[in-house]
Amino acid sequence: MGQTNFRVIVVGGGPVGLSCAHALAQAGIDFIVLEQRSSFVIDAGSNLILVPMSMRVLGQLGLLEELKRVSSPLNIINRMDHRGRRLGSMKWFLYDNEYFGAYPRVISRHDLTKVLYQSLPSDTMSNLLPNKKVSDISTTTNGVCVTCKDGTSYEGSVVIGADGAHSLVRGSMRQLAIDNESSSLNEEKPFLTTYRCLWTRFPTMSGLTPGTTWETHGKNLATQLFAGVDTVVMCIYERLDEPTYDRCRYSEADEEALVGRWGHLPLTPGQALTIRDAYKSRIQSGLVNLEEGVVKHWSWNGRIVLAGDAAHKFTPSTGAGFNNGIIDVVALVNEVVREVQAARTKSLHPAAGPQKAQIVAAFKAYEALRKEPVIEGCKAAGNATALATWGNWILKFIDQYIFSIHIIQRFLSSQQASRTARTPAFDYLDSEEELVGTVPWTMPLKMKSGRTD
Ligand SMILES: Cc1cc2nc3c(=O)[nH]c(=O)nc-3n(C[C@H](O)[C@H](O)[C@H](O)COP(=O)(O)OP(=O)(O)OC[C@H]3O[C@@H](n4cnc5c(N)ncnc54)[C@H](O)[C@@H]3O)c2cc1C
């Protein structure tokens, strides 16, 4: 028999956990979100770029207009080397607009989480619980029991682990696999770090038009600068002496040492703005390792499933992390909703849930749909970082002389566009197609009138 009170426990209230909350709320599925921080709106962290595939599904959730208000569209990417010599421009964002009818947009993590949090239906707000650091997950006959560090515990049918790269949920899955002598055993440390990133946010200065993008490329270090309306974000990618699977926490002294090594490099032409200038006028900054990899097993026994950075981690060079995380939410919740609706139709109980076998199948279908694009995305992001940091002479040559050719960019972006067009959208939500360009989406949206276009 299936369950009569189907409830999802989302661990982690970052951008992916909050997106899960929206998707579940709109599906009428009971949920709670457990977040270790004292607030869901995070006033820290780098800015992010939203690309058309995620803007489309954020539109389905009714969030796109509000997100547009607090983000800036991005245009041409201007590139130069460490000596300030121009390397030609990149037109990826222009092609995105042509193919899908939307320029990628830069937004602060603060504004993204604020919009995601504040736009949740008021009757679900009490389901979002801050100050809840999850410390243990066990499975029960009918579901899961999640225990927090403060001693409280919560029972539910399934757990979605949206708790980031150093996921406790992933660790619990591994422990369950060991205890049950299962072959579905993930690596203890699944992500390899080859680069670290110093990100800095500073006020938009004169000479930096919102929407401007600059990159500086060269041996072992590259920068990316995205100018927003009020703030600019700069990311510095530095190759580590040795790749590592270990977690590393950096201090302000480490940030200052990095700026000491590379502070003279230009972020814009003619030394108008250097790394040191940007760092000195910073509002916020952080030095983080850039883990890379895709976890082998994304779910455990129809009880626990991973999404977002808990399942895969990319370097930010192509702005793929959250953008893929929200598509995980789409693919996962679509599968779960299908099973829940079937169970409710069968049992005539409004809160019924599927049997475990159906949830196992839903989680497997989700993983099968997402694994390949995520592996491709991870590779592409790693390659972009290796190219920009001139990992060897071949990469340096390609970066300087091949990638600057617009016809090559056009070819590569059209290949990417056909992959993007296949990205799933929510199949249980009625919505209008807001992103229309020259490349049609493979999966049409369910329109408000019930028709598909
Ligand atoms: C410098 C930089 C630039 C980036 N730029 C982009 C970009 O342009 N575009 C893009 O798409 N992505 C970008 N990313 C990646 C993006 O930030 C991540 O992919 C995204 O934040 C992942 O969201 P998440 O919710 O899965 O994980 P996280 O953002 O890590 O959120 C996890 C949440 O879980 C909570 N949590 C963790 N453990 C527990 C626990 N035990 N109990 C309860 N709560 C817990 C955390 O407090 C946190 O709120 C960038 C990343 C970096 C570092």
Side-chain angles (χ1 to χ4, degrees):
M1 212 186 90
Q3 303 167 36
T4 45
N5 287 304
F6 187 75
R7 182 197 227 192
V8 177
I9 300 182
V10 181
V11 179
V16 170
L18 290 173
S19 305
C20 259
H22 275 276
L24 293 166
Q26 296 216 19
I29 294 178
D30 184 25
F31 71 92
I32 55 169
V33 182
L34 303 174
E35 166 56 44
Q36 66 182 357
R37 298 180 200 239
S38 56
S39 168
F40 284 86
V41 180
I42 303 167
D43 198 10
S46 174
N47 290 16
L48 291 104
I49 301 194
L50 300 176
V51 299
M53 69 177 186
S54 59
M55 287 160 68
R56 183 179 189 227
V57 296
L58 286 161
Q60 286 190 286
L61 295 172
L63 305 174
L64 190 53
E65 283 316 307
E66 190 55 20
L67 287 168
K68 277 186 180 169
R69 228 180 38 77
V70 289
S71 61
S72 307
L74 292 166
N75 207 294
I76 285 210
I77 304 175
N78 303 290
R79 305 179 318 145
M80 61 190 168
D81 68 11
H82 285 188
R83 286 196 274 164
R85 285 181 311 194
R86 299 288 186 110
L87 296 176
S89 61
M90 296 288 204
K91 291 191 171 180
W92 311 126
F93 300 151
L94 275 70
Y95 297 137
D96 273 334
N97 183 53
E98 180 184 325
Y99 296 144
F100 299 111
Y103 288 99
R105 305 183 74 91
V106 60
I107 185 167
S108 70
R109 193 175 161 105
H110 172 261
D111 287 336
L112 175 65
T113 50
K114 189 173 170 190
V115 171
L116 286 170
Y117 179 67
Q118 292 186 344
S119 55
L120 278 162
S122 51
D123 61 343
T124 63
M125 281 305 200
S126 58
N127 300 358
L128 279 92
L129 309 177
N131 295 311
K132 293 289 175 192
K133 185 177 172 63
V134 172
S135 54
D136 186 55
I137 299 173
S138 55
T139 54
T140 61
T141 323
N142 281 323
V144 284
C145 178
V146 176
T147 307
C148 300
K149 215 172 158 214
D150 63 6
T152 51
S153 60
Y154 300 87
E155 301 227 336
S157 312
V158 296
V159 163
I160 297 180
D163 54 341
H166 306 288
S167 169
L168 175 128
V169 176
R170 194 178 64 230
S172 300
M173 277 170 55
R174 182 177 149 80
Q175 194 52 52
L176 284 164
I178 292 171
D179 295 347
N180 288 277
E181 295 177 4
S182 164
S183 56
S184 303
L185 185 65
N186 282 323
E187 301 292 333
E188 191 181 354
K189 295 175 184 172
F191 302 141
L192 180 66
T193 306
T194 306
Y195 308 91
R196 65 183 145 218
C197 173
L198 172 64
W199 62 266
T200 300
R201 195 163 48 244
F202 54 96
T204 306
M205 306 168 168
S206 61
L208 279 175
T209 317
T212 315
T213 304
W214 280 97
E215 293 188 354
T216 308
H217 294 192
K219 194 163 171 49
N220 293 332
L221 185 117
T223 70
Q224 276 183 319
L225 174 150
F226 300 106
V229 177
D230 301 318
T231 60
V232 178
V233 68
M234 161 188 80
C235 291
I236 304 175
Y237 301 86
E238 184 183 42
R239 184 183 285 273
L240 298 180
D241 293 336
E242 285 297 327
T244 178
Y245 284 96
D246 291 331
R247 188 173 187 180
C248 185
R249 285 202 172 87
Y250 295 104
S251 64
E252 203 171 337
D254 296 315
E255 293 182 16
E256 281 161 9
L258 192 150
V259 174
R261 284 193 292 281
W262 303 100
H264 59 285
L265 293 184
L267 293 170
T268 54
Q271 299 279 329
L273 180 70
T274 63
I275 289 179
R276 185 166 292 111
D277 299 331
Y279 188 70
K280 268 191 192 157
S281 54
R282 69 191 182 280
I283 302 166
Q284 279 180 337
S285 62
L287 181 58
V288 290
N289 266 359
L290 298 179
E291 299 88 355
E292 291 177 72
V294 178
V295 172
K296 215 167 175 183
H297 306 285
W298 288 21
S299 67
W300 168 257
N301 208 16
R303 294 290 185 236
I304 307 178
V305 64
L306 303 175
D309 277 16
H312 45 71
K313 191 75 174 56
F314 310 153
T315 71
S317 296
T318 54
F322 169 66
N323 287 295
N324 273 283
I326 192 168
I327 302 302
D328 293 349
V329 172
V330 172
L332 173 59
V333 179
N334 277 349
E335 295 296 335
V336 171
V337 167
R338 202 165 300 134
E339 295 303 338
V340 167
Q341 282 174 348
R344 288 180 185 174
T345 307
K346 203 167 155 195
S347 76
L348 297 177
H349 192 295
Q355 294 186 7
K356 192 168 141 192
Q358 270 74 53
I359 307 175
V360 170
F363 288 175
K364 292 286 170 215
Y366 151 64
E367 181 176 328
L369 195 65
R370 291 300 296 144
K371 218 36 165 322
E372 196 193 312
V374 160
I375 289 171
E376 286 301 314
C378 187
K379 245 191 256 166
N383 288 343
T385 314
L387 271 173
T389 52
W390 295 359
N392 57 43
W393 71 267
I394 301 174
L395 295 173
K396 177 178 172 183
F397 180 81
I398 295 174
D399 190 51
Q400 282 187 297
Y401 303 112
I402 310 292
F403 259 41
S404 51
I405 302 170
H406 287 159
I407 197 156
I408 292 196
Q409 293 174 24
R410 162 73 78 182
F411 171 74
L412 292 173
S413 62
S414 69
Q415 301 278 302
Q416 178 55 40
S418 53
R419 286 191 287 273
T420 300
R422 293 198 291 274
T423 309
F426 291 108
D427 59 14
Y428 58 92
L429 294 179
D430 293 336
S431 44
E432 299 291 332
E433 188 67 87
E434 291 180 61
L435 269 68
V436 182
T438 56
V439 176
W441 297 98
T442 306
M443 178 183 166
L445 301 185
K446 197 170 140 215
M447 310 293 274
K448 287 208 165 75
S449 56
R451 69 194 160 87
T452 54
D453 242 7

